[in-house]
Amino acid sequence: MSTSSSSIGGTRAPAWRRITAWLIDWLLILILPLLLVPVGVVLYAAGLRLPIGLWNLISFLLLITPVTLWCARRESGRFQATPGKRARGLIVVDARSGGRVGFGRALLRNTAKIALPWELGHTVAYGFAAAAGNPSGSLMVVTIIVYLIMFAWLGALFLPSARTPYDLLAGTRVVRPPAP
């Protein structure tokens, strides 16, 4: 299937467009850590010491959750796209009908796309920080899983269907919308 082949709801989105859309989104997403990290540094410098697991939970609640909800809201909203997808001329549609997806399915999509790998990545980072050079076997397994997920998500963009595992899970497809 060529990148210009038609699919329900629009034309299949080329991998490079989806990747550049994601890069644009991450430039916007990075604003939140840029605001939160200095707060954490100040709290740490002031003597606040929390267990690694609590730092991970705080990161999840203040960083990963808002980003996941924001992306889901954007993809289920009027424009059916995050700012990066809009800039690259892409939308998220229902794989069967080609119509707009509801918030629940967009949230499922972004939980699998963003929250799961990001939280696993944080778990690995915090785990290595706590391991002090002696990581456990389970930490190594989670690390391998994180890399497998990242490569699976990226590699799926280059398959003929261009449907990632999170698109399959949510019943969605990313397309270039038909011309009006």
Side-chain angles (χ1 to χ4, degrees):
M1 178 186 278
S2 74
T3 57
S4 63
S5 64
S6 181
S7 65
I8 294 174
T11 305
R12 179 180 157 238
W16 64 270
R17 274 192 192 232
R18 289 185 70 176
I19 292 167
T20 56
W22 187 233
L23 292 173
I24 292 167
D25 286 337
W26 271 101
L27 288 175
L28 294 172
I29 289 167
L30 284 174
I31 293 169
L32 187 54
L34 287 173
L35 297 173
L36 291 175
V37 168
V39 172
V41 169
V42 168
L43 291 173
Y44 189 81
L48 179 64
R49 300 295 186 265
L50 299 174
I52 294 287
L54 188 53
W55 279 118
N56 196 7
L57 176 61
I58 291 168
S59 296
F60 182 80
L61 294 174
L62 295 180
L63 185 60
I64 298 170
T65 299
V67 168
T68 303
L69 291 170
W70 176 72
C71 288
R73 178 69 187 120
R74 299 294 303 211
E75 291 178 355
S76 65
R78 185 178 87 192
F79 296 113
Q80 297 175 256
T82 59
K85 284 183 188 71
R86 284 194 70 202
R88 301 302 297 139
L90 304 174
I91 60 172
V92 176
V93 298
D94 178 279
R96 281 186 257 156
S97 72
R100 184 182 303 179
V101 297
F103 180 77
R105 289 197 21 230
L107 182 59
L108 175 62
R109 179 181 191 277
N110 284 286
T111 297
K113 175 184 176 183
I114 298 169
L116 174 66
W118 198 355
E119 177 53 33
L120 287 174
H122 271 189
T123 300
V124 166
Y126 285 122
F128 274 101
N134 190 18
S136 67
S138 60
L139 182 59
M140 298 307 292
V141 169
V142 174
T143 302
I144 291 168
I145 290 170
V146 169
Y147 280 100
L148 290 174
I149 289 171
M150 289 187 326
F151 287 121
W153 279 200
L154 183 61
L157 295 175
F158 296 94
L159 295 175
S161 73
R163 289 187 69 203
T164 59
Y166 50 85
D167 281 319
L168 293 169
L169 178 66
T172 59
R173 180 179 300 279
V174 177
V175 298
R176 290 184 289 177

